[in-house]
């Protein structure tokens, strides 16, 4: 158990509606990440955070925004959900950013946009 | 980023050792080798990582060749719960964590 809780775990939403996924950690780790996983693409980094109010874009950030107002919470928002954002979303945490700092993943949030 | 080659699938008898190979011939000097596994419908689970030396923890052992171009993950006594996709990942940082296709390990009763 890596001390990561994702919510909701499953959600079905309609195209054009806003959706927020929450990641909560109890490890007080500085770095937090949001990935999405799709068949044929593996895990792709959406956004990451290196501290409170400090965030940066990943490989597939278009259509997503994030916020981190507290060390323990990292929110991923889809401002206007599209069918292409149907995916499994994983939150991850690590103590550091460089190689040698292990990344621990949450259990995932399954999002379906209809 | 270093490219990896893993066999797409392997079978192992329950109770026997599972040896999962990975080639990462383009690995950089500062990149650790990480191993994760993913059981269906769950998040990736960290197993072990190493830089140059062999490593062992409660889950597995990691053998890295001297030239660092390949490594082997060893599950000493595989159980049915070890059935999963195993990923070998050379990584310089979390921003470069690339999960490829991995090896589907099936532990047979």
């Amino acid at each position: 158990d890596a001390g990561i809780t994702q919510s909701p775990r499953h959600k079905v939403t309609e195209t054009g509606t806003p959706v927020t996924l929450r990641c909560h950690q109890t490890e007080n780790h500085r770095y937090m990440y949001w990935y999405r996983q799709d068949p044929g693409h593996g895990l792709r980094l959406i956004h990451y955070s290196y501290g409170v109010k400090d965030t940066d874009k990943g490989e597939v950030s278009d259509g997503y925004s994030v916020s981190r107002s507290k060390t323990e919470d990292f929110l991923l928002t889809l401002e206007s959900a599209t069918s292409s954002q149907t995916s499994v979303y994983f939150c991850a945490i690590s103590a550091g950013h460089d190689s040698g700092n292990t990344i621990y993943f949450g259990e995932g949030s399954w999002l379906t946009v209809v | 980023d270093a490219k990896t080659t893993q066999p797409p699938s392997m079978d192992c008898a329950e109770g026997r050792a599972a040896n999962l190979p990975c080639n990462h011939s383009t690995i950089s000097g500062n990149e650790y080798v990480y191993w994760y596994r993913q059981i269906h419908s769950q998040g990736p689970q960290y197993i072990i990582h190493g830089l140059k030396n062999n490593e062992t923890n409660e889950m597995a052992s990691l053998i890295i060749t001297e030239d660092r171009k390949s490594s082997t993950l060893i599950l000493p006594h595989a159980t049915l719960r070890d059935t999963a996709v195993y990923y070998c990942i050379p990584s310089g940082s979390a921003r470069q964590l690339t999960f490829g296709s991995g090896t589907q390990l099936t532990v047979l009763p």
Side-chain angles (χ1 to χ4, degrees), chain A residues 15-51:
Chain A
T15 299
T17 61
V19 177
T20 295
L21 305 180
R22 179 178 182 246
C23 178
H24 178 79
Q25 62 147 327
T26 58
E27 304 298 317
N28 202 36
H29 280 349
R30 178 181 176 188
Y31 293 90
M32 299 185 73
Y33 311 86
W34 277 106
Y35 294 85
R36 59 178 289 175
Q37 187 174 35
D38 305 287
H41 292 280
L43 274 168
R44 293 181 291 175
L45 181 64
I46 305 172
H47 282 279
Y48 66 96
S49 169
Y50 46 96

Side-chain angles (χ1 to χ4, degrees), chain A residues 9 33 35 37 41-43 45 48 56 90 94 96-108 110, chain B residues 30-34 36 38 41-46 49 51 87 91-100:
Chain A
R9 294 292 314 280
Y33 311 86
Y35 294 85
Q37 187 174 35
H41 292 280
L43 274 168
L45 181 64
Y48 66 96
D56 205 349
F90 290 104
S94 69
H97 210 34
D98 297 325
S99 188
N101 287 285
T102 301
I103 300 165
Y104 298 96
F105 289 83
E107 288 302 305
W110 273 253
Chain B
N30 65 343
E31 287 184 313
Y32 283 70
V33 178
Y34 280 86
Y36 284 83
Q38 191 168 21
S41 299
Q42 296 184 19
Q45 180 187 21
Y46 165 77
H49 73 284
L51 184 61
Y87 297 96
S91 174
S93 80
R95 288 174 295 183
Q96 299 168 339
L97 202 66
T98 302
F99 281 65

Side-chain angles (χ1 to χ4, degrees), chain B:
Chain B
D1 295 347
K3 305 300 181 186
T4 60
T5 303
Q6 297 180 254
S9 64
M10 295 180 63
D11 292 339
C12 177
E14 188 176 19
R16 305 296 294 266
N19 295 272
L20 293 91
C22 179
N23 288 322
H24 34 77
S25 59
T26 60
I27 192 170
S28 300
N30 65 343
E31 287 184 313
Y32 283 70
V33 178
Y34 280 86
W35 283 83
Y36 284 83
R37 72 181 182 184
Q38 191 168 21
I39 298 169
H40 183 63
S41 299
Q42 296 184 19
Q45 180 187 21
Y46 165 77
I47 302 173
I48 198 168
H49 73 284
L51 184 61
K52 296 180 181 178
N53 300 322
N54 298 337
E55 302 288 345
T56 295
N57 62 21
E58 65 277 6
M59 289 183 66
S61 294
L62 174 61
I63 309 298
I64 303 174
T65 58
E66 191 171 347
D67 61 9
R68 299 206 334 117
K69 291 185 178 181
S70 65
S71 61
T72 300
L73 178 74
I74 301 171
L75 307 178
H77 304 286
T79 71
L80 299 179
R81 289 178 295 179
D82 292 322
T83 292
V85 180
Y86 287 76
Y87 297 96
C88 160
I89 307 168
S91 174
S93 80
R95 288 174 295 183
Q96 299 168 339
L97 202 66
T98 302
F99 281 65
S101 300
T103 297
Q104 170 66 58
L105 174 68
T106 302
V107 180
L108 304 172

Side-chain angles (χ1 to χ4, degrees), chain A residues 13 17-22 33-38 42 44-48 55-67 74-90 109-113:
Chain A
T13 191
T17 61
V19 177
T20 295
L21 305 180
R22 179 178 182 246
Y33 311 86
W34 277 106
Y35 294 85
R36 59 178 289 175
Q37 187 174 35
D38 305 287
R44 293 181 291 175
L45 181 64
I46 305 172
H47 282 279
Y48 66 96
T55 65
D56 205 349
K57 296 179 180 180
E59 178 188 357
V60 291
S61 59
D62 287 348
Y64 301 95
S65 62
V66 290
S67 66
F74 192 32
L75 305 180
L76 177 71
T77 298
L78 291 67
E79 300 291 347
S80 178
T82 68
S83 58
S84 65
Q85 294 176 312
T86 291
S87 186
V88 183
Y89 291 85
F90 290 104
S109 293
W110 273 253
L111 177 67
T112 302
V113 183

